[in-house]
Every structure is written in structure tokens, then in C-alpha cells.
Coordinates of all heavy atoms in Angstrom, one line a residue:
F1 N 0.9 -1.2 0.0 CA 0.0 0.0 0.0 C 0.9 1.2 0.0 O 1.8 1.4 0.8 CB -0.9 0.0 1.2 CG -1.7 1.3 1.4 CD1 -2.8 1.6 0.6 CD2 -1.2 2.3 2.2 CE1 -3.5 2.8 0.7 CE2 -1.9 3.5 2.4 CZ -3.1 3.7 1.6
G2 N 0.7 2.1 -0.9 CA 1.4 3.3 -1.0 C 0.6 4.6 -1.2 O -0.5 4.5 -1.8
Y3 N 1.1 5.7 -0.6 CA 0.4 6.9 -0.7 C 1.5 8.0 -0.9 O 2.5 8.1 -0.2 CB -0.4 7.3 0.5 CG -0.9 8.7 0.5 CD1 -2.1 9.0 -0.1 CD2 -0.2 9.7 1.2 CE1 -2.6 10.3 -0.1 CE2 -0.7 11.0 1.2 CZ -1.9 11.3 0.5 OH -2.3 12.6 0.5
S4 N 1.2 8.9 -1.9 CA 2.2 9.9 -2.2 C 1.4 11.2 -2.7 O 0.4 11.1 -3.3 CB 3.3 9.5 -3.2 OG 2.7 9.1 -4.4
R5 N 2.1 12.3 -2.5 CA 1.5 13.6 -3.0 C 2.4 14.0 -4.1 O 3.6 14.4 -3.9 CB 1.5 14.6 -1.9 CG 1.0 16.0 -2.3 CD -0.5 16.0 -2.3 NE -1.0 17.3 -2.6 CZ -2.3 17.6 -2.8 NH1 -3.2 16.6 -2.7 NH2 -2.7 18.8 -3.0
V6 N 1.9 14.0 -5.4 CA 2.7 14.2 -6.5 C 2.1 15.3 -7.4 O 1.0 15.2 -7.8 CB 2.9 12.9 -7.4 CG1 3.7 13.2 -8.6 CG2 3.5 11.8 -6.6
N7 N 2.9 16.4 -7.6 CA 2.4 17.5 -8.4 C 1.0 18.0 -8.0 O 0.2 18.2 -8.9 CB 2.5 17.2 -9.9 CG 3.9 17.1 -10.4 OD1 4.8 17.1 -9.6 ND2 4.0 17.0 -11.7
G8 N 0.8 18.1 -6.7 CA -0.5 18.6 -6.2 C -1.6 17.6 -6.2 O -2.8 17.9 -5.9
A9 N -1.4 16.3 -6.6 CA -2.4 15.3 -6.6 C -2.0 14.2 -5.7 O -0.8 13.9 -5.5 CB -2.6 14.8 -8.0
N10 N -3.0 13.5 -5.1 CA -2.8 12.3 -4.3 C -2.8 11.1 -5.2 O -3.7 10.9 -5.9 CB -3.9 12.2 -3.2 CG -3.9 13.4 -2.3 OD1 -2.9 14.0 -2.0 ND2 -5.1 13.8 -1.8
I11 N -1.8 10.2 -5.0 CA -1.7 9.0 -5.7 C -1.7 7.9 -4.7 O -0.8 7.8 -3.8 CB -0.4 8.9 -6.6 CG1 -0.5 10.0 -7.6 CG2 -0.3 7.5 -7.2 CD1 0.7 10.0 -8.6
T12 N -2.7 7.0 -4.8 CA -2.8 5.8 -3.9 C -2.6 4.5 -4.7 O -3.3 4.4 -5.7 CB -4.1 5.8 -3.1 OG1 -4.3 7.0 -2.4 CG2 -4.2 4.6 -2.1
T13 N -1.8 3.6 -4.2 CA -1.5 2.4 -4.9 C -1.8 1.2 -3.9 O -1.4 1.2 -2.8 CB -0.1 2.2 -5.4 OG1 0.8 2.4 -4.4 CG2 0.1 3.3 -6.5
I14 N -2.5 0.2 -4.4 CA -2.8 -1.0 -3.7 C -2.3 -2.2 -4.6 O -3.0 -2.4 -5.6 CB -4.2 -1.2 -3.3 CG1 -4.7 0.0 -2.4 CG2 -4.5 -2.5 -2.5 CD1 -6.2 0.0 -2.1
M15 N -1.2 -2.8 -4.2 CA -0.6 -3.8 -5.1 C -0.4 -5.1 -4.4 O -0.4 -5.2 -3.2 CB 0.7 -3.3 -5.6 CG 0.7 -1.9 -6.4 SD 0.2 -2.2 -8.1 CE 0.4 -0.5 -8.7
G16 N -0.2 -6.1 -5.2 CA 0.2 -7.5 -4.7 C 0.9 -8.3 -5.7 O 0.7 -8.0 -6.9
G17 N 1.8 -9.2 -5.3 CA 2.5 -10.0 -6.3 C 3.6 -10.8 -5.7 O 3.8 -10.8 -4.4
P18 N 4.4 -11.5 -6.5 CA 5.5 -12.4 -6.0 C 6.8 -11.6 -5.8 O 7.0 -10.6 -6.4 CB 5.6 -13.4 -7.1 CG 5.3 -12.6 -8.3 CD 4.2 -11.7 -7.9
R19 N 7.6 -12.1 -4.8 CA 8.9 -11.6 -4.6 C 9.9 -12.8 -4.4 O 9.6 -13.8 -3.9 CB 9.0 -10.7 -3.3 CG 10.4 -10.3 -2.9 CD 10.4 -9.6 -1.6 NE 10.0 -8.2 -1.7 CZ 10.1 -7.3 -0.7 NH1 10.7 -7.6 0.4 NH2 9.7 -6.1 -0.9
V20 N 11.1 -12.6 -5.0 CA 12.2 -13.6 -4.8 C 13.3 -12.9 -4.2 O 13.8 -11.9 -4.6 CB 12.6 -14.2 -6.2 CG1 13.7 -15.1 -6.0 CG2 11.4 -14.9 -6.9
T21 N 13.8 -13.5 -3.0 CA 14.9 -12.9 -2.2 C 16.0 -13.9 -2.2 O 15.8 -15.1 -1.9 CB 14.4 -12.6 -0.8 OG1 13.2 -11.8 -0.8 CG2 15.5 -11.9 0.0
R22 N 17.2 -13.3 -2.4 CA 18.4 -14.2 -2.4 C 19.5 -13.5 -1.5 O 20.0 -12.4 -1.8 CB 19.0 -14.3 -3.8 CG 20.3 -15.1 -3.9 CD 20.1 -16.5 -3.5 NE 21.3 -17.3 -3.5 CZ 21.5 -18.6 -3.1 NH1 20.4 -19.2 -2.7 NH2 22.6 -19.2 -3.2
P23 N 19.9 -14.2 -0.4 CA 21.0 -13.6 0.5 C 22.3 -13.6 -0.3 O 22.7 -14.5 -1.1 CB 21.1 -14.6 1.6 CG 19.7 -15.3 1.6 CD 19.3 -15.4 0.2
V24 N 23.0 -12.5 -0.1 CA 24.4 -12.4 -0.7 C 25.5 -12.3 0.3 O 26.7 -12.4 0.0 CB 24.4 -11.1 -1.6 CG1 23.5 -11.2 -2.8 CG2 24.1 -9.8 -0.8
S25 N 25.1 -12.2 1.6 CA 26.0 -12.3 2.7 C 25.2 -12.6 4.0 O 24.0 -12.6 3.9 CB 26.8 -10.9 2.9 OG 25.9 -10.0 3.5
P26 N 25.9 -12.8 5.1 CA 25.1 -13.1 6.4 C 24.2 -11.9 6.8 O 23.3 -12.1 7.5 CB 26.2 -13.4 7.4 CG 27.3 -13.9 6.6 CD 27.3 -13.1 5.3
K27 N 24.5 -10.7 6.3 CA 23.7 -9.5 6.7 C 22.9 -8.9 5.6 O 22.3 -7.9 5.9 CB 24.7 -8.5 7.4 CG 25.2 -9.0 8.7 CD 26.1 -7.9 9.3 CE 26.5 -8.3 10.7 NZ 25.4 -8.3 11.7
A28 N 23.0 -9.3 4.4 CA 22.4 -8.6 3.3 C 21.7 -9.6 2.3 O 22.2 -10.7 2.1 CB 23.4 -7.7 2.5
S29 N 20.6 -9.2 1.7 CA 19.9 -9.9 0.7 C 19.4 -9.0 -0.4 O 19.2 -7.8 -0.1 CB 18.7 -10.6 1.3 OG 19.0 -11.6 2.2
V30 N 19.3 -9.5 -1.6 CA 18.8 -8.7 -2.7 C 17.5 -9.4 -3.1 O 17.3 -10.6 -2.9 CB 19.8 -8.7 -3.9 CG1 21.0 -7.9 -3.5 CG2 20.1 -10.1 -4.4
F31 N 16.6 -8.6 -3.7 CA 15.3 -9.2 -4.1 C 14.8 -8.5 -5.3 O 15.1 -7.4 -5.7 CB 14.2 -9.0 -2.9 CG 13.9 -7.6 -2.6 CD1 12.8 -7.0 -3.3 CD2 14.5 -6.9 -1.7 CE1 12.5 -5.6 -3.0 CE2 14.2 -5.6 -1.4 CZ 13.2 -4.9 -2.1
G32 N 13.9 -9.2 -6.0 CA 13.2 -8.7 -7.2 C 11.7 -9.0 -7.0 O 11.4 -10.1 -6.5

């Protein structure tokens, strides 16, 4: 869920979908 104020207008997004996460170190992961 996102909300932003862009160029004087309110933009609201409600999204859903898949994510794939891959650790690259004991403390960090990258995802798409």
C-alpha cells in the first residue's frame, strides 16, 4: 500500500504479487 503527494495530486496504490529474495552475505539480501 502506497500513498504519495505528486504535483498537487494524491496517488494511492494497492498492489500485490510475488517476490524472490536471495541472500548475498550473512547480513544482506537482494530481491526482485
